[in-house]
Amino acid sequence: MKKLINKVENIVEEMVKGIVLSVPDKLAKVDNYNVVYSKTFNKNNVALISGGGSGHEPAHAGYVGDGMLTAAVAGPIFTSPTPDMVQAAINACDSQKGTLLIIKNYTGDVMNFQMAAEMATAENKNVDYVIVADDVSLIHNKAATGMRGIAGTVLVHKVVGAKAQTGASLAEVKAVAEKAIQNVGTYGLGLDACVVPAIGHKGFVLPDDEVEMGLGIHGEPGVKRIKMASVDVFVVEMVEAIINHLKIQNGNQVAVLVNGLGATPMMELYIANRKIHEILQTKNIKVVANFVGNYMTSIDMPGMSISLMKLDDELAQLIKAPSDTLAFKI
């Protein structure tokens, strides 16, 4: 294993310190916790907090700032943050209008963020939450957790952050979050496994001539393994699955996010983006916003995910609203 790190046990803390030091006028770290929060947050707006295990950078600290998140909680690599970490984030950006937690649908994340919300409520803080489950490859998953929360969460951060910037109430911000979640879908594929530093080797073995369709962002198994093919073949299957799930129709508007998993060249992501546009154009589906890059990675995994968000007029306006964060500027 070759990694540009020091001690494995210090990776997350050193990373968080480096993130804050890159823009010290805009971001700060909570003492004794790997929590990044915005120094420019307006406490007259609803606070937005997300997070999860580290290893998905720029998620989630990369989305802290004007127009997106108020704070992000960085758990250990691929491990949910503890309730006290989430509570520290709530306390760091205590808003007069309340706090909304945006949780990805993993058992640990849901349990620990909900527990933190209960702890904060017991202290008379106004805290609510939503759960993102956008992985359409798992539509028919019978497991208790159901569909996972993956890269579509970034689009949820974007529209919810824009809504909060308007001074909307907690109920209004949550309503937009729920609408965004209901209208976002993501499908991913992996070309190989990633190397978790604490383990020191790849998490699974994937033959050179196969890809894993529906692979999770922690290296969880996908829904099937198929033979390597041209990118257009993969894109057609992925986009059609999302369109069918969201019931996107002729004349609808969408936002498109093409997400690299950490080791995929931008060249390849743009080639995929070209095919996505071709498919949507033939169906008379209008692309209102398009984002291509590394947004929700899996350390050094080669592969990508495609997210579509079906937009009504409100969501279309919010997705294009200004944002100023390390990883998402409009």
Side-chain angles (χ1 to χ4, degrees):
M1 178 183 73
K2 293 181 179 180
K3 297 284 185 183
L4 297 176
I5 60 175
N6 297 305
K7 294 182 178 180
V8 169
E9 60 268 28
N10 295 337
I11 289 175
V12 177
E13 182 177 2
E14 292 180 352
M15 174 192 70
V16 169
K17 288 180 178 177
I19 289 170
V20 171
L21 288 169
S22 70
V23 282
D25 57 326
K26 296 181 179 180
L27 299 179
K29 178 183 178 296
V30 176
D31 291 342
N32 302 316
Y33 291 97
N34 290 321
V35 173
V36 176
Y37 66 93
S38 172
K39 295 172 72 172
T40 62
F41 171 60
N42 181 352
K43 291 195 174 184
N44 291 316
N45 294 337
V46 170
L48 303 174
I49 298 173
S50 191
S54 296
H56 306 301
E57 290 70 33
H60 298 81
Y63 306 121
V64 174
D66 295 344
M68 291 189 78
L69 298 178
T70 313
V73 190
I77 295 174
F78 290 1
T79 303
S80 302
T82 57
D84 63 306
M85 294 174 66
V86 180
Q87 190 177 31
I90 295 170
N91 292 337
C93 47
D94 196 13
S95 166
Q96 297 175 12
K97 284 195 172 176
T99 299
L100 183 70
L101 307 181
I102 302 173
I103 312 168
K104 296 188 304 303
N105 193 32
Y106 296 96
T107 301
D109 285 358
V110 172
M111 179 177 65
N112 290 346
F113 274 79
Q114 286 180 337
M115 190 177 299
E118 292 170 2
M119 292 161 60
T121 300
E123 296 178 353
N124 296 317
K125 290 183 169 63
N126 188 13
V127 179
D128 208 339
Y129 63 86
V130 293
I131 299 172
V132 183
D134 59 309
D135 186 354
V136 305
S137 74
L138 298 181
I139 292 171
H140 304 297
N141 189 343
K142 302 301 182 183
T145 52
M147 292 165 59
R148 302 175 290 220
I150 49 179
T153 309
V154 178
L155 296 178
V156 175
H157 292 164
K158 177 66 191 69
V159 297
V160 178
K163 184 65 176 182
Q165 287 282 96
T166 67
S169 68
L170 179 57
E172 291 169 332
V173 171
K174 181 179 180 180
V176 164
E178 290 176 330
K179 179 167 63 171
I181 290 166
Q182 292 166 3
N183 286 283
V184 67
T186 302
Y187 202 124
L189 70 86
L191 303 179
D192 203 352
C194 63
V195 177
V196 177
I199 299 174
H201 57 78
K202 293 179 180 179
F204 58 87
V205 176
L206 186 62
D208 290 341
D209 64 342
E210 292 183 0
V211 302
E212 187 98 27
M213 298 293 289
L215 187 73
I217 55 174
H218 306 99
E220 308 97 326
V223 292
K224 61 181 177 179
R225 289 186 177 184
I226 62 175
K227 292 297 182 181
M228 186 66 194
S230 69
V231 66
D232 283 6
V233 171
F234 299 138
V235 169
V236 168
E237 179 173 345
M238 295 161 75
V239 171
E240 290 291 348
I242 301 170
I243 288 174
N244 291 337
H245 175 66
L246 297 179
K247 297 180 172 57
I248 301 173
Q249 299 175 347
N250 183 307
N252 285 162
Q253 304 177 93
V254 297
V256 176
L257 184 143
V258 185
N259 172 60
L261 296 181
T264 304
M266 289 295 297
M267 174 195 303
E268 297 174 22
L269 299 181
Y270 281 120
I271 292 171
N273 191 56
R274 165 205 58 89
K275 184 60 178 179
I276 295 168
H277 278 257
E278 285 183 5
I279 296 169
L280 297 178
Q281 186 175 16
T282 62
K283 297 178 180 292
N284 192 32
I285 298 168
K286 182 180 179 181
V287 177
V288 171
N290 189 191
F291 310 102
V292 182
N294 291 307
Y295 294 96
M296 181 80 71
T297 65
S298 186
I299 309 180
D300 56 358
M301 183 181 289
M304 70 169 184
S305 64
I306 298 170
S307 300
L308 301 180
M309 179 178 283
K310 184 166 65 172
L311 307 171
D312 61 9
D313 290 341
E314 180 183 30
L315 292 178
Q317 182 179 13
L318 295 173
I319 199 73
K320 295 185 293 183
S323 60
D324 183 13
T325 75
L326 282 174
F328 213 116
K329 295 180 184 292
I330 294 181

